[in-house]
C-alpha cells in the first residue's frame, strides 16, 4: 500500500474538511498534475472515511471506460485486507444492476461505473443493455404495472436474447425476492420522472405511439434504455452512495452540465430529501480548458467560463461571482503591470502588491474546495517528481518554417502561426483541416525546407534532425535506438540485461503535455519514422517491402520457428529461471540445465562417440520427441491445429509433430538447444509467466488459447526483426531484455485489477 506523500496528505486533509460540513455542498477537486498520484489521494480519503465508524462505506467510482474503472477500483480500496478487498470489489459494474445483486456484508463497497452505462445523459443514445437488466425490468414492470406488462410485446424486452432468456427471467424473479424493500414503489416514481405522468399512458405512447398527435413509437432499444435509466434512478434513490469519485471528469463533463435537467444525475449529485448529500471527489489534471489563445480575448472572465462553472458546482453561485470578479481584476492588474513594466515607475511596486493581494484572496477563496500540486513545487522533497529541463536551441531552418507558415496563412489569422509553430512539428503538414487557419491557408511550395514526403518514407531516409527545437530535444533523450526496443526493461530484472536494454534509461516513461491536438500525432509519426529508418533494411525494397516481408512462417516440418513460439507444456512445467533470480546468466543456464536433466531419464545424454556428441537434430523435433515421451504430444498438436487455420505447410508440420518418435537419446548440443529455448523462446516465456498467475492455462481446454496468443498475437508483434537469423534475433532479445520478467510484472498488475 502506497504511503501518501506530504502534499498528498495535505490534499486529503483539505478534502475531508470540505466533506466534514454535513449541511454544505461536500465537494472537492484534486487537480494535481499528471503522475502525482491523484488515485493515492482518493484511496486515503476512502480509508479515512471508512474509519469514521459508519458501516458500510459505499463508494461510486466513475471513470470514462470500463477498463479504467476496473483497473482503479481495487486501488481505491487497496487499504482493505485480502478478504475484504475481494468482497468490496466483487460488485456490479452498472448502476441498474446494483439493486439486482445481493449486497455483500463488508465495511466498504465500491462500484466501478461508467457514464455511458450508468449515467447516460438525457441526450445520449440509449441501448438495451444486458439481458440480466432486461429480465429484472420485466419482473419489476409486472409488479409495478401488471396490465401494461401483460400486453407488452415480449420481444421488446427480450431483444437479441433467445435460448437463455427464460433462465434469465427465472433468475431475476429469484433476485427480486431479496431486493430492497419498496423497490417497486421507487421504480414507479422513477418511471414518472423518466416518462412523465400519468405513467401508464406515457408508457403506452412510448411503445405504441400516438397517431393523432403524430408521435412515433420509440425503438425497442430506446424504450428499454429509458427503462434502464428508471431502474438506475430507483436504485440511486434507494441506495445512495456515501462517496462519489469522478475520475478524469473532464472527459464526461456533461454530468456536471446536465445535472439540473436530468433526474438521474440530480439524484447522484444532489439527492432530494437527503439531510447529508454524498461527498463528491473530483479528480482531473486538466479540469477546464481555455476557450482561446488570443491575448485580447483573455480579458475579464471569458477564458475562464468552464472554470467558473466548476467553481459554482464546487462552492455555489456566491463563490462563483466573487471568483469571477477577482479573476477579472487580477487579469487586468497583470496586464497593466506587463504594459508598464518600467522598473523606475514609482507606482509599480504598489501595482505588484495589489496583484499579490488579489492572488491571495483568490487562493483563500478556492483552496477550501480545490487542490492543485505541480511537479516543480514538490521537487525538493521528491526529486523524481521534478521537471528535467532540456535545451531546445532553435536553428535557422526553424525560423524559416515559421516564416513559411506565416506567409501561407491569411492576413487576419497570421497571429496564430506563432503558437502553432512553437507547439506542432512540421505545422504546415500536420495541422490539417480541423484548424480553421490551416483550412483557409494557401500552403506555399517550399522545396528547400525539410519536410515529410512519400519518397522520403519509401526510401527510409530520415533527416539528421527535423526543423523543430523541441522535437530535437526530445529525440536526444528518446533516440531511435531506445525507441526501437520492443518492450521496456523490467523493474526487477532476473539477470543483468544486455543489448539495447543495457543502456536504457532507468525510467522509460515519458509524459508529453501538448497545447494542440495536432501535436501528439505529429510527434509520434516523426519519432516512429525515425525508428523505422534506424531499424529497417534500406537495401531490400525500402518501407513498403519491409512491411510486407514476414520472417516467421511455419515450414512443413517442425523447425526453429515453430519451437520458438511453441508454449511447450513440458518446458513450461519443468523449468523456471526465477529460482535463481538475481544471479548472472551463466548461473541461470546451469540451473535450467539441471532442471531439464532432472526430469529426463538418467543417462539420456550421449557422450560415448564423436558421432553421438555431434548429432544435432532440429529443436522442433527434439521438443516434439520429449513431449511425445511425456504424453503431451497430442495436446500440443491440438493446440497448434486450432491456431494455424488452413495453412498447408503448417498442417504438415503439426502432423509430423505427432509422428515424431519418443526421445531415447540426446546429444550435448541438443541439450544446450533445450536450455536456450527454455530461457529464450518467446512462447515458453509467455506460457511460464502466465502460468504463475493463471494455474489453469495448461489445462487441455485452455491450452489452445495459449497457443493462439503466442502464434497469432506475440508472433505477429515480433515478426520481421532486423538481421538474417530472425529466430536467433528474437530469442536473444528475450534474454537481453528480460522479457519473461516484463511479462511476469504485467500479468501481476493485471491480476490485481481484473475481476
Amino acid at each position: 500500500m502506497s504511503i501518501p506523500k506530504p502534499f498528498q496528505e495535505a490534499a486529503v486533509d483539505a478534502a475531508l474538511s470540505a466533506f466534514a460540513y454535513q449541511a454544505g455542498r461536500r465537494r472537492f477537486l484534486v487537480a494535481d498534475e499528471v503522475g502525482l498520484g491523484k488515485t493515492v489521494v482518493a484511496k486515503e480519503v476512502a480509508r479515512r472515511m471508512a474509519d469514521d465508524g459508519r458501516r458500510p462505506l459505499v463508494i461510486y467510482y466513475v471513470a470514462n471506460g470500463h477498463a479504467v474503472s476496473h483497473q482503479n477500483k481495487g486501488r481505491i480500496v487497496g487499504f482493505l485486507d485480502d478478504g475484504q478487498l475481494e468482497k468490496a470489489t466483487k460488485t456490479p459494474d452498472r448502476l441498474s444492476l446494483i439493486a439486482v445483486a445481493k449486497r455483500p456484508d463488508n465495511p466498504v463497497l465500491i462500484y466501478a461505473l461508467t457514464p455511458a452505462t450508468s449515467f447516460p445523459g438525457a441526450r445520449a443514445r440509449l441501448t438495451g443493455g444486458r439481458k440480466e437488466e432486461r429480465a429484472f425490468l420485466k419482473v419489476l414492470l409486472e409488479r409495478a404495472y401488471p396490465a401494461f406488462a401483460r400486453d407488452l410485446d415480449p420481444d421488446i424486452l427480450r431483444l437479441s436474447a433467445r435460448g437463455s432468456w427464460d433462465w434469465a427471467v427465472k433468475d431475476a424473479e429469484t433476485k427480486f425476492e431479496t431486493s430492497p424493500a419498496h423497490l417497486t414503489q421507487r421504480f414507479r416514481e422513477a418511471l414518472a420522472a423518466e416518462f412523465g405522468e400519468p405513467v401508464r399512458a406515457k408508457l403506452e405512447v412510448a411503445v405504441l405511439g400516438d397517431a393523432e398527435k403524430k408521435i412515433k413509437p420509440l425503438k425497442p432499444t430506446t424504450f428499454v434504455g429509458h427503462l434502464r435509466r428508471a431502474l438506475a434512478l430507483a436504485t440511486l434513490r434507494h441506495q445512495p452512495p456515501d462517496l462519489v469519485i469522478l475520475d478524469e471528469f473532464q472527459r464526461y463533463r456533461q454530468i456536471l452540465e446536465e445535472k439540473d435537467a436530468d433526474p438521474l444525475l440530480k439524484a447522484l449529485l444532489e439527492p432530494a430529501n437527503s439531510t447529508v448529500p454524498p461527498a463528491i471527489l473530483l479528480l482531473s489534471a486538466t479540469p477546464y480548458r481555455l476557450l482561446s489563445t488570443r491575448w485580447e480575448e483573455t480579458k475579464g472572465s471569458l477564458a475562464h467560463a468552464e472554470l467558473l462553472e466548476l467553481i459554482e458546482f464546487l462552492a455555489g453561485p456566491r463563490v462563483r461571482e466573487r471568483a469571477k470578479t477577482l479573476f477579472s481584476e487580477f487579469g487586468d492588474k497583470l496586464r497593466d503591470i506587463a504594459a508598464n513594466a518600467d522598473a523606475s515607475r514609482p507606482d509599480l511596486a504598489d501595482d505588484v502588491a495589489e496583484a499579490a493581494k488579489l492572488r491571495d484572496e483568490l487562493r483563500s477563496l478556492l483552496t477550501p474546495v480545490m487542490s492543485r500540486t505541480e511537479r516543480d513545487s514538490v521537487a525538493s522533497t521528491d526529486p523524481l517528481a521534478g521537471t528535467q529541463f532540456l535545451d531546445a536551441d532553435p536553428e535557422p531552418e526553424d525560423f524559416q518554417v515559421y516564416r513559411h507558415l506565416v506567409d501561407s496563412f491569411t492576413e487576419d489569422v497570421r497571429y496564430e502561426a506563432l503558437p502553432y509553430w512553437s507547439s506542432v512539428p512540421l505545422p504546415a503538414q500536420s495541422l490539417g483541416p480541423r484548424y480553421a487557419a490551416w483550412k483557409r491557408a494557401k500552403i506555399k511550395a517550399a522545396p528547400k525546407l525539410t519536410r515529410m514526403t512519400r519518397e522520403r518514407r519509401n526510401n527510409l531516409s530520415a533527416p539528421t534532425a527535423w526543423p523543430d527545437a523541441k522535437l530535437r530535444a526530445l529525440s536526444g533523450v528518446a533516440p531511435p535506438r531506445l525507441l526501437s526496443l520492443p518492450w521496456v526493461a523490467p523493474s526487477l530484472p532476473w539477470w543483468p540485461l544486455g543489448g539495447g536494454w543495457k543502456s536504457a534509461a532507468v525510467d522509460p516513461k515519458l509524459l508529453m503535455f501538448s497545447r494542440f491536438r495536432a501535436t501528439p500525432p505529429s510527434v509520434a509519426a516523426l519519432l516512429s519514422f525515425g525508428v523505422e529508418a534506424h531499424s529497417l533494411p534500406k537495401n531490400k525494397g525500402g518501407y513498403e517491402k519491409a512491411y510486407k516481408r514476414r520472417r516467421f512462417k511455419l515450414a512443413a516440418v517442425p523447425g526453429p520457428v515453430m519451437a520458438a513460439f511453441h508454449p511447450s507444456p513440458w518446458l513450461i512445467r519443468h523449468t523456471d529461471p526465477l529460482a535463481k533470480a538475481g544471479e548472472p546468466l551463466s548461473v541461470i543456464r546451469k540451473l535450467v540445465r539441471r532442471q531439464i536433466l532432472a526430469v529426463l531419464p538418467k543417462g539420456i545424454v550421449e557422450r560415448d562417440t564423436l558421432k553421438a556428441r555431434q548429432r544435432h537434430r532440429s529443436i522442433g523435433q527434439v521438443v516434439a520427441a520429449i513431449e511425445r515421451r511425456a504424453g503431451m504430444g497430442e495436446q500440443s498438436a491440438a493446440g497448434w491445429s486450432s491456431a494455424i487455420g488452413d495453412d498447408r505447410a503448417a498442417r504438415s508440420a503439426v502432423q509430423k509433430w505427432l509422428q515424431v518418435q519418443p526421445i531415447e537419446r540426446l546429444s550435448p548440443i541438443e541439450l544446450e538447444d533445450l536450455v536456450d529455448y527454455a530461457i529464450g523462446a518467446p512462447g515458453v516465456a509467455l506460457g511460464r509467466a502466465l502460468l504463475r498467475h493463471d494455474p489453469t492455462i495448461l489445462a487441455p481446454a485452455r491450452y489452445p488459447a495459449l497457443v493462439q496468443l503466442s502464434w497469432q498475437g506475440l508472433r505477429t508483434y515480433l515478426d520481421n526483426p532486423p538481421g538474417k537469423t530472425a529466430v536467433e534475433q528474437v530469442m536473444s532479445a528475450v534474454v537481453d531484455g528480460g522479457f519473461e520478467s516484463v511479462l511476469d510484472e504485467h500479468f501481476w498488475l493485471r491480476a490485481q485489477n481484473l475481476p
Side-chain angles (χ1 to χ4, degrees):
M1 175 177 169
S2 301
I3 299 174
K5 296 179 173 66
F7 72 90
Q8 294 167 335
E9 284 282 10
V12 172
D13 291 340
L16 292 175
S17 295
F19 299 159
Y21 183 44
Q22 303 284 297
R25 298 177 75 83
R26 306 189 75 218
R27 297 170 182 178
F28 193 83
L29 164 68
V30 178
D32 292 353
E33 196 174 346
V34 171
L36 291 186
K38 291 182 289 295
T39 303
V40 175
V41 174
K43 177 174 69 174
E44 184 65 10
V45 166
R47 186 190 69 79
R48 285 165 63 173
M49 288 183 69
D51 286 343
D52 68 357
R54 298 177 61 188
R55 292 291 187 272
L57 176 72
V58 176
I59 304 170
Y60 284 1
Y61 174 75
V62 184
N64 197 43
H66 280 297
V68 176
S69 60
H70 276 297
Q71 175 178 313
N72 283 346
K73 74 173 181 178
R75 297 176 184 173
I76 298 292
V77 293
F79 54 86
L80 298 171
D81 62 42
D82 290 345
Q84 292 176 337
L85 181 63
E86 182 179 3
K87 288 183 179 179
T89 55
K90 200 172 183 179
T91 51
D93 62 357
R94 53 187 66 195
L95 189 57
S96 54
L97 287 174
I98 292 177
V100 179
K102 186 178 180 181
R103 185 163 172 160
D105 180 18
N106 208 52
V108 179
L109 298 174
I110 184 167
Y111 298 91
L113 310 172
T114 64
T117 56
S118 292
F119 306 103
R123 297 189 296 271
R125 185 178 69 86
L126 299 177
T127 64
R130 296 180 183 168
K131 66 182 176 185
E132 293 87 354
E133 293 175 274
R134 301 196 301 275
F136 197 75
L137 285 168
K138 181 180 187 302
V139 174
L140 267 179
L141 275 176
E142 289 172 350
R143 269 64 172 184
Y145 292 98
F148 172 77
R150 187 171 54 250
D151 297 336
L152 184 65
D153 181 353
D155 286 341
I156 289 179
L157 287 174
R158 184 186 293 121
L159 290 179
S160 60
R162 288 294 175 259
S164 58
W165 177 248
D166 291 339
W167 175 88
V169 172
K170 288 182 180 179
D171 186 58
E173 289 172 344
T174 301
K175 289 177 178 176
F176 179 80
E177 299 303 324
T178 59
S179 64
H182 310 302
L183 179 61
T184 303
Q185 180 57 35
R186 295 283 192 190
F187 185 57
R188 290 195 190 98
E189 296 167 359
L191 288 173
E194 185 68 23
F195 289 92
E197 296 183 288
V199 177
R200 169 71 190 276
K202 294 290 185 179
L203 287 172
E204 290 183 349
V205 170
V207 173
L208 303 174
D210 190 325
E212 291 184 4
K213 296 181 179 179
K214 297 182 180 180
I215 300 176
K216 294 182 180 180
L218 298 177
K219 294 180 180 179
T221 52
T222 304
F223 174 69
V224 173
H226 282 291
L227 292 180
R228 291 174 57 229
R229 276 176 51 89
L231 177 55
L233 179 57
T235 302
L236 195 53
R237 286 176 171 175
H238 195 78
Q239 297 180 348
D242 301 303
L243 172 63
V244 178
I245 300 174
L246 303 178
D247 198 354
E248 298 294 349
F249 70 92
Q250 81 280 358
R251 301 189 181 197
Y252 48 93
R253 194 182 177 90
Q254 72 276 6
I255 277 191
L256 308 189
E257 296 169 350
E258 299 177 7
K259 64 179 176 57
D260 295 327
D262 190 334
L264 181 57
L265 297 178
K266 199 168 185 66
L268 173 70
L269 304 173
E270 298 174 355
N273 304 321
S274 175
T275 56
V276 180
I280 300 175
L281 182 65
L282 294 90
L283 308 176
S284 174
T286 53
Y288 70 95
R289 61 187 174 191
L290 296 180
L291 299 182
S292 173
T293 59
R294 295 182 61 180
W295 176 263
E296 295 82 5
E297 292 182 2
T298 59
K299 293 181 180 179
S301 60
L302 178 60
H304 304 292
E306 284 192 357
L307 173 61
L308 293 173
E309 291 173 4
L310 180 59
I311 290 172
E312 181 174 0
F313 175 79
L314 292 168
R318 183 188 62 80
V319 175
R320 173 196 169 123
E321 289 307 309
R322 182 58 184 153
K324 180 178 180 180
T325 301
L326 289 172
F327 272 123
S328 179
E329 293 176 358
F330 184 56
D332 291 342
K333 185 58 64 177
L334 289 180
R335 274 184 286 275
D336 289 344
I337 294 171
N340 303 282
D342 183 356
S344 63
R345 188 163 62 91
D347 56 347
L348 180 62
D350 293 338
D351 285 345
V352 172
E354 190 173 343
K357 182 180 178 182
L358 290 168
R359 177 205 62 197
D360 293 342
E361 189 174 350
L362 268 171
R363 182 180 292 164
S364 62
L365 182 72
L366 299 181
T367 48
V369 292
M370 64 176 67
S371 166
R372 169 74 173 180
T373 304
E374 297 185 350
R375 292 181 178 278
D376 290 343
S377 65
V378 297
S380 59
T381 57
D382 186 3
L384 290 177
T387 301
Q388 177 188 351
F389 290 94
L390 303 177
D391 292 328
D393 297 325
E395 296 180 356
E397 191 179 3
D398 299 353
F399 297 105
Q400 294 169 14
V401 170
Y402 169 65
R403 173 48 45 190
H404 173 251
L405 193 66
V406 171
D407 292 343
S408 299
F409 279 5
T410 56
E411 188 173 352
D412 59 326
V413 293
R414 281 179 179 169
Y415 67 90
E416 294 189 5
L418 181 59
Y420 291 147
W421 169 77
S422 67
S423 301
V424 185
L426 303 189
Q429 290 187 279
S430 304
L431 288 174
R434 75 173 68 180
Y435 294 93
W438 189 93
K439 193 174 183 180
R440 293 164 51 196
K442 293 182 179 179
I443 306 297
K444 300 182 178 182
K448 293 184 179 180
L449 290 181
T450 303
R451 63 193 190 279
M452 190 67 190
T453 64
R454 185 180 296 273
E455 182 181 8
R456 182 186 291 280
R457 187 205 70 169
N458 289 343
N459 293 334
L460 295 168
S461 176
T464 304
W466 293 101
D468 184 277
K470 292 179 182 176
L471 183 62
R472 290 194 300 272
L474 177 59
S475 298
V477 296
R481 63 179 178 80
L482 290 182
L483 293 179
S484 64
L485 298 177
W487 55 82
V488 299
S491 301
L492 296 172
W494 294 352
W495 52 74
L497 302 182
W501 288 273
K502 187 176 183 179
S503 58
V506 176
D507 184 0
K509 183 177 181 179
L510 297 173
L511 299 177
M512 184 175 71
F513 299 90
S514 59
R515 190 174 184 181
F516 301 108
R517 291 183 180 178
T519 305
S522 178
V523 171
L526 296 177
L527 288 179
S528 295
F529 179 64
V531 171
E532 291 163 336
H534 170 77
S535 303
L536 297 176
K538 297 179 176 62
N539 58 349
K540 295 187 177 180
Y543 184 90
E544 294 287 352
K545 287 191 176 180
Y547 276 99
K548 289 180 180 178
R549 188 182 299 113
R550 287 292 173 260
R551 309 290 291 278
F552 293 138
K553 295 180 181 180
L554 293 186
V557 295
V561 171
M562 188 173 185
F565 291 95
H566 174 51
S568 167
W570 191 86
L571 284 174
I572 289 170
R573 287 196 184 280
H574 298 305
T575 62
D576 187 8
L578 182 58
K580 286 281 187 179
E583 298 286 349
L585 188 58
S586 59
V587 175
I588 303 284
R589 287 186 61 86
K590 290 178 182 178
L591 165 73
V592 171
R593 188 182 297 108
R594 288 196 301 269
Q595 290 173 340
I596 290 172
L597 290 173
V599 287
L600 286 174
K602 190 173 182 180
I604 194 173
V605 179
E606 284 188 298
R607 294 187 173 90
D608 299 338
T609 65
L610 178 63
K611 182 178 180 181
R613 292 196 299 272
Q614 292 183 340
R615 187 180 62 244
H616 196 180
R617 289 170 290 182
S618 164
I619 182 63
Q621 292 180 324
V622 172
V623 173
I626 289 176
E627 291 190 347
R628 182 77 184 275
R629 180 185 182 89
M632 299 176 177
E634 292 188 3
Q635 177 181 342
S636 293
W640 276 97
S641 295
S642 69
I644 58 176
D646 297 326
D647 186 323
R648 288 187 179 181
R651 290 204 167 277
S652 171
V654 172
Q655 188 61 33
K656 288 185 171 64
W657 187 284
L658 275 172
Q659 295 170 353
V660 171
Q661 294 300 310
I663 196 163
E664 294 181 356
R665 294 293 179 187
L666 194 66
S667 74
I669 299 174
E670 292 166 346
L671 175 61
E672 291 308 305
D673 283 348
L674 280 174
V675 174
D676 289 340
Y677 276 74
I679 298 174
V684 175
L686 170 68
R688 195 163 47 214
L690 193 53
L691 182 66
R692 292 189 187 93
H693 306 281
D694 181 2
T696 69
I697 196 61
L698 294 183
R702 298 206 57 216
Y703 181 73
L706 176 58
V707 180
Q708 185 91 6
L709 179 63
S710 179
W711 182 245
Q712 300 293 0
L714 187 58
R715 184 262 311 186
T716 56
Y717 175 68
L718 297 176
D719 205 350
N720 201 14
K724 295 182 179 179
T725 54
V727 171
E728 290 181 12
Q729 288 277 350
V730 167
M731 288 181 55
S732 293
V734 167
V735 176
D736 288 342
F739 183 56
E740 186 173 345
S741 179
V742 172
L743 288 177
D744 188 60
E745 293 175 14
H746 173 69
F747 291 143
W748 182 86
L749 286 170
R750 297 295 287 164
Q752 307 311 302
N753 303 310
L754 288 174

